[in-house]
Amino acid sequence: LAHEFGHAWSLYHLYMTQQRDWSAWLDYRGIAGDPRIDSTYPWSKTEMIAEDYRLLFSSPTALGQWPGQMNSDIPDARDVPGLGDFLQNVWGG
């Protein structure tokens, strides 16, 4: 459920806060310009940011159901310094 809420939250802010521009998140995540973006399901921007939300803001119970990150080619959201703050105060700001 946290992943699905991550979709709603991130897409709301994509349109309402970021004016449909993914660049701030892609830059912060360190994947801007990566040719794999949107090439497969795990590389979908919407899936990756929903996973960021789930890993950073969900309950321990939710994390226990699926502890890992869908896309194992990028750093785990919990290992990206300041990502939670960025999502709350910049992406969602």
Side-chain angles (χ1 to χ4, degrees), residues 7-90:
H7 281 300
W9 181 88
S10 62
L11 290 173
Y12 172 85
H13 287 293
L14 175 65
Y15 290 96
M16 302 305 290
T17 310
Q18 300 300 316
Q19 290 76 46
R20 301 179 188 192
D21 184 2
W22 287 99
S23 61
W25 174 75
L26 291 168
D27 288 340
Y28 198 94
R29 213 46 177 93
I31 56 175
D34 192 307
R36 296 171 290 182
I37 294 172
D38 289 331
S39 63
T40 62
Y41 185 73
W43 275 96
S44 164
K45 292 185 295 274
T46 58
E47 293 304 321
M48 289 188 287
I49 199 168
E51 282 290 276
D52 285 356
Y53 185 93
R54 178 183 70 85
L55 290 168
L56 294 168
F57 303 118
S58 66
S59 70
T61 301
L63 288 174
Q65 294 172 350
W66 183 288
Q69 182 170 279
M70 183 188 313
N71 185 337
S72 60
D73 291 329
I74 61 175
D76 186 298
R78 296 164 289 192
D79 296 333
V80 179
L83 182 57
D85 184 59
F86 169 82
L87 289 174
Q88 286 181 319
N89 299 308
V90 176

